[in-house]
Amino acid sequence: RVTRCLCPHLQDPKYPVENLLREDCHQPWLGCPQDRSRSLRVELQLERASPIGYVDVGNCGCAFLQIEVGRSSWPLHQPFLTLVPSVTLMSPADSKLDRNRCGVRMFKEG
């Protein structure tokens, strides 16, 4: 179970990162419309160390996704490990034309 979300980026005040933890509504987490970095990052902390067998990701306009994992007990300078390498969630054409923005991708242990 995820107990904490940390987002070091600007985010849309109407769609904050805390939406990822809410079970009572299905609102997205979106970046700030004025932020032109076109990149978002969130750190999710689990209740305890747990094996991760699968991850389901709901998409709302994201073209690419990468999932990295680590442990809170690791030194700060230790890099995260890649759980899911960079994958395409939207084609370049869909991204330019603002089509097929929403969907779900499921990743499981291989």
Side-chain angles (χ1 to χ4, degrees):
R1 187 180 131 190
V2 177
T3 58
R4 192 175 83 153
C5 289
L6 202 92
C7 176
H9 294 280
L10 294 174
Q11 52 190 325
D12 188 324
K14 288 195 256 179
Y15 302 103
V17 71
E18 289 80 18
N19 285 350
L20 297 175
L21 295 178
R22 296 185 63 182
E23 295 179 15
D24 60 334
C25 82
H26 301 316
Q27 293 292 319
W29 162 53
L30 300 175
C32 181
Q34 291 79 27
D35 181 17
R36 298 295 177 209
S37 71
R38 306 186 84 97
S39 176
L40 285 174
R41 179 184 176 99
V42 65
E43 290 185 22
L44 304 174
Q45 184 174 355
L46 300 178
E47 198 169 56
R48 63 183 183 283
S50 306
I52 299 173
Y54 66 92
V55 177
D56 297 341
V57 177
N59 184 28
C60 186
C62 178
F64 301 98
L65 170 75
Q66 181 170 323
I67 300 175
E68 299 175 329
V69 295
R71 295 184 70 118
S72 58
S73 61
W74 287 356
L76 290 176
H77 65 276
Q78 183 167 344
F80 288 110
L81 300 174
T82 301
L83 180 67
V84 176
S86 186
V87 294
T88 303
L89 300 178
M90 293 173 66
S91 72
D94 284 344
S95 186
K96 281 184 182 179
L97 297 172
D98 205 28
R99 294 186 313 208
N100 299 321
R101 294 177 41 87
C102 299
V104 175
R105 286 288 299 269
M106 294 172 260
F107 305 94
K108 67 176 188 171
E109 199 170 17

